[in-house]
Amino acid sequence: MIVPMKKVSLVILSREKEAALKTLRASGLVHLQNVEGKGERLSELKNVSAKLRAAQAILAEMKIPQKNLKMVSVSNEETALRAEKIVALAERKKALLDKIAQSAAELERLSPWGIVNPSDLAFLSQKGIHLSLYEIPSDKYNLIGEDVKTLLVNSSKTTKRFLLISETEAEKGERPAGLVPEAYQVVLPEKSSDEIAAEIDSAKNEISKIEADLVESAVFAKSLSDYEKSLEKEIEFESVYSGMEQDAEEKNTSLSWISGFVPVDSLAALKETAARSNWALLCEDPSEDDPVPTKLKNNKLVSLIYPLTDFLDVTPGYREFDISAWFLLFFCVFFSMIFADAGYGALIAVVGLILAGKAKKGQKSLSALVVLLGACTMVWGVLTCSYFGVNASLLPPQLVSLSSSLFSQPKLVLQGMSAEAAKSLADKNQQIFCFTLALIQLSIAHITCCVSNARQKSLKAAGDFGALLQLWGTFYVVLSMVVADGVNYTFPLMDNGQSVNLFGFAAPHYFPTAALGVLGFGFLLNFIFSNYEGSVGKSILESLKNIISVLLGIVNVFSDIVSYIRLWAVALAGAAISNTVNEMAGPMLGKLSMIIVVVILLCFGHGLNMILNALSVIVHGVRLNTLEFSQHLGMAWSGTKYKPFSN
């Protein structure tokens, strides 16, 4: 459930502001509204925090082995100085690398000329011999006028390099008349080639020393991390302290105030704290525009989903629905259907048990969730007779008999069906199961909306009921268009006078007409009441204005139901990978010399398949809950998680 919140405002004397905030933080009850802090102190703290983060990032980039690295704890002041030094060293290293790159490029530019020393040319210039470096395409060199004195230095297949000799120093940009346009002057370096090379060597030596200093600084990594975490709380406190509003400049007589939100079950404790501290406290219900945070409260089983929602960073809005229980239930089903292998499920459960053994007290939700997902996967794997993709003919008959005749091809073969017919029927049954999951989950969404609007005595409930009927009618259409094969299942869209085979039951011949009638009636109800805001006429008018979107709504319902078939398709792909890996390893089994290769191949192949399945869970399993299901609930996951101001 989403815990109801109260909006509270605290008024205190400005001179007691610091002590009051410390008391409020110690209580850990109030989620404060955002305040814009200011002041030199806050800027200084943020600057130190930024340097600490930068220093940690620099050490992380160094990839220094942590094994046998003994961490050193120092004071916060010393840690800040270390961070500054690390950042300064990294900046110096970057500057040196840039300098090396520029110098290397300069050497590359001058390399065809050999060793170039501008001071030598300057010396000759003082003696009245002015030399300039030029390059020209090889076939243009002979076009230079005879009155231009040149000295050929070297040549390549495409370029000739020469010195232009003159008795007077040319003005900048001035060229002799006989020098062809294709000749271009080479800019002299500021330093000689030898000096540039020496600078590169010096920079490399300095970089080596910097890297050694950074490696030595790795022992302060924990101090950097601890100080940064403590600064987060200090920055939060200073932001609130400096951002609190007050009514006058005079600190001794002025009042300061701040607003926030507190769960109703914690309101009594806050009132007690306010009375004891002589604060003025105003409590009221949040308005529609207030950014009310969301606090979820569920039992231990439902709370197992919190590690996943925290990882995804999704929180329902304060006025949205808490679907934690449904999220957990359907996510377990989706997870097990995507992995679809009892062997994989067993490995996942073992990993969960290992995590549980290492988890600290009060932090076992993640490991418990992993164990639950592994157990669910084992159940589905048993029902479908899937054990590391091993061919059913190689499995003990007892395992095959445990599987379900609805979803397991081997079980159907055991009952006398041909392999091809058994596979076709098992696939169809799994597809129907996927669509049935869609029907159940999306029906829950519309029933939830219907009940919510009914409690508010809004005729929107009729629109939600219409959407529910529309969903059920569309479900039959999906079965007819996707599942019906004329052999195992027939779902006609027209009354043909014959009874309909509906999952082994004989439905009346008019069932297709009834299904389409339910679809049409549901659409009509939804069209009339979905936009109801006190007037049926206005609701109809609003639907007419958005007639294209309303009509596309039927298509969206169809596509949402069909999208659940991804569970079967992804599982099919995973099973194909498992079979391929086993077939590759099969010929090598029984050969002692190949045992290591077989083990590596099986571990790599099945490990890769499990990783791909895990990604599929995030892409598909999570999506069905946070998109399809949530859209039918009208949820936008627009909430802000309740985070009280605390130590």
Side-chain angles (χ1 to χ4, degrees), residues 405-406 412 417-432 479-480 482-492 499-506:
S405 56
L406 283 175
L412 292 171
M417 291 185 69
S418 67
E420 184 177 350
K423 184 178 186 310
S424 176
L425 181 58
D427 285 346
K428 289 296 179 182
N429 287 339
Q430 290 194 36
Q431 292 174 20
I432 292 174
L479 294 181
S480 176
V482 180
V483 177
D485 56 3
V487 178
N488 299 305
Y489 294 104
T490 56
F491 301 103
S499 61
V500 179
N501 179 13
L502 197 66
F503 309 128
F505 299 97

Side-chain angles (χ1 to χ4, degrees), residues 33 87 139 153 165 187 192 195 268 296 365 457 468 470 511 571 573:
Q33 284 187 299
V87 172
D139 58 346
V153 175
I165 306 171
V187 179
S192 69
E195 289 174 325
L296 300 178
S365 294
K457 298 181 179 179
L468 178 65
Q470 184 175 300
F511 190 87

Side-chain angles (χ1 to χ4, degrees), residues 16 37 44 77 97 142 258 347 359 397 418 532 538 553 563:
E16 299 175 356
E44 180 183 344
E77 292 76 10
L97 289 173
N142 294 330
I258 194 167
L347 290 179
S418 67
Y532 180 80
K538 289 182 179 179
S563 69

Side-chain angles (χ1 to χ4, degrees), residues 366-630:
L366 176 60
S367 56
L369 176 62
V370 174
V371 172
L372 177 61
L373 294 173
C376 292
T377 305
M378 290 173 65
V379 171
W380 183 254
V382 169
L383 292 177
T384 56
C385 196
S386 179
Y387 300 88
F388 291 111
V390 176
N391 192 293
S393 61
L394 303 176
L395 294 173
Q398 295 84 351
L399 290 180
V400 177
S401 64
L402 286 175
S403 61
S404 168
S405 56
L406 283 175
F407 308 125
S408 169
Q409 178 190 3
K411 183 67 173 286
L412 292 171
V413 171
L414 194 64
Q415 293 176 350
M417 291 185 69
S418 67
E420 184 177 350
K423 184 178 186 310
S424 176
L425 181 58
D427 285 346
K428 289 296 179 182
N429 287 339
Q430 290 194 36
Q431 292 174 20
I432 292 174
F433 184 70
C434 291
F435 297 143
T436 304
L437 279 175
L439 179 66
I440 294 172
Q441 188 176 31
L442 300 184
S443 293
I444 290 170
H446 290 294
I447 292 171
T448 301
C449 293
C450 187
V451 171
S452 176
N453 284 317
R455 285 175 178 171
Q456 299 174 30
K457 298 181 179 179
S458 171
L459 286 179
K460 269 191 176 181
D464 294 320
F465 182 68
L468 178 65
L469 295 180
Q470 184 175 300
L471 173 70
W472 281 76
T474 306
F475 172 72
Y476 183 82
V477 174
V478 170
L479 294 181
S480 176
M481 298 182 69
V482 180
V483 177
D485 56 3
V487 178
N488 299 305
Y489 294 104
T490 56
F491 301 103
L493 290 176
M494 300 293 291
D495 183 355
N496 55 13
Q498 298 178 354
S499 61
V500 179
N501 179 13
L502 197 66
F503 309 128
F505 299 97
H509 64 86
Y510 54 79
F511 190 87
T513 304
L516 295 179
V518 167
L519 172 59
F521 182 62
F523 173 79
L524 183 62
L525 283 177
N526 187 253
F527 182 87
I528 295 173
F529 296 106
S530 61
N531 297 302
Y532 180 80
E533 292 292 346
S535 171
V536 175
K538 289 182 179 179
S539 179
I540 296 174
L541 182 60
E542 192 65 29
S543 295
L544 287 172
K545 288 180 181 177
N546 300 286
I547 188 63
I548 301 299
S549 299
V550 172
L551 293 174
L552 287 176
I554 300 178
V555 179
N556 289 336
V557 173
F558 181 91
S559 64
D560 286 345
I561 295 174
V562 171
S563 69
Y564 280 69
I565 203 172
R566 69 182 70 213
L567 300 170
W568 168 76
V570 173
L572 199 64
I577 294 175
S578 296
N579 291 333
T580 301
V581 172
N582 293 339
E583 288 176 3
M584 291 172 63
M588 294 182 281
L589 291 174
K591 298 179 181 178
L592 187 61
S593 60
M594 301 297 291
I595 189 67
I596 296 178
V597 177
V598 171
V599 171
I600 293 174
L601 176 60
L602 290 175
C603 290
F604 176 78
H606 287 289
L608 179 62
N609 194 24
M610 291 186 72
I611 292 173
L612 292 175
N613 285 338
L615 294 175
S616 296
V617 167
I618 295 174
V619 174
H620 303 295
V622 170
R623 172 201 163 101
L624 292 174
N625 277 302
T626 57
L627 190 61
E628 276 84 353
F629 181 44
S630 298

Side-chain angles (χ1 to χ4, degrees), residues 10-211:
L10 297 171
V11 182
I12 57 179
L13 288 171
S14 294
R15 67 172 181 266
E16 299 175 356
K17 187 164 62 172
E18 183 174 356
L21 286 178
K22 288 181 179 179
T23 303
L24 185 64
R25 185 169 66 175
S27 70
L29 299 173
V30 183
H31 177 107
L32 297 176
Q33 284 187 299
N34 288 334
V35 291
E36 291 293 334
K38 51 187 177 296
E40 293 183 6
R41 171 66 176 160
L42 182 60
S43 298
E44 180 183 344
L45 291 173
K46 287 183 176 180
N47 183 48
V48 174
S49 179
K51 286 188 176 179
L52 290 169
R53 287 195 301 273
Q56 292 178 79
I58 291 165
L59 294 180
E61 288 178 0
M62 295 290 295
K63 296 181 180 178
I64 302 167
Q66 299 296 310
K67 191 176 181 180
N68 301 325
L69 189 62
K70 189 175 180 180
M71 293 295 172
V72 176
S73 297
V74 294
S75 66
N76 289 342
E77 292 76 10
E78 178 65 19
T79 301
L81 292 175
R82 290 284 177 180
E84 286 188 11
K85 181 180 178 182
I86 291 170
V87 172
L89 287 172
E91 290 176 350
R92 176 59 181 165
K93 178 182 175 181
K94 183 177 182 302
L96 289 171
L97 289 173
D98 290 341
K99 184 177 180 181
I100 289 174
Q102 293 173 2
S103 298
E106 187 72 347
L107 280 182
E108 180 69 19
R109 182 177 71 88
L110 298 172
S111 59
W113 291 87
I115 298 175
V116 178
N117 191 340
S119 61
D120 291 344
L121 298 180
F123 175 78
L124 291 174
S125 182
Q126 292 174 358
K127 301 299 182 180
I129 304 174
H130 304 282
L131 302 178
S132 301
L133 282 62
Y134 275 86
E135 292 184 356
I136 192 172
S138 297
D139 58 346
K140 302 293 183 181
Y141 183 72
N142 294 330
L143 301 178
I144 298 175
E146 295 182 0
D147 57 331
V148 179
K149 296 181 180 179
T150 63
L151 177 62
L152 185 64
V153 175
N154 61 49
S155 61
S156 64
K157 187 179 266 189
T158 59
T159 306
K160 290 184 180 293
R161 299 170 186 86
F162 63 92
L163 295 174
L164 178 67
I165 306 171
S166 62
E167 297 178 355
T168 59
E169 186 173 2
E171 294 289 337
K172 187 175 181 181
E174 183 181 348
R175 298 162 59 94
L179 191 62
V180 296
E182 288 81 3
Y184 58 93
Q185 187 175 2
V186 177
V187 179
L188 287 175
E190 295 181 359
K191 300 177 181 178
S192 69
S193 302
D194 290 340
E195 289 174 325
I196 294 173
E199 286 183 350
I200 291 176
D201 291 338
S202 176
K204 288 181 178 179
N205 291 333
E206 188 175 351
I207 287 175
S208 298
K209 293 179 181 178
I210 288 174
E211 290 178 343

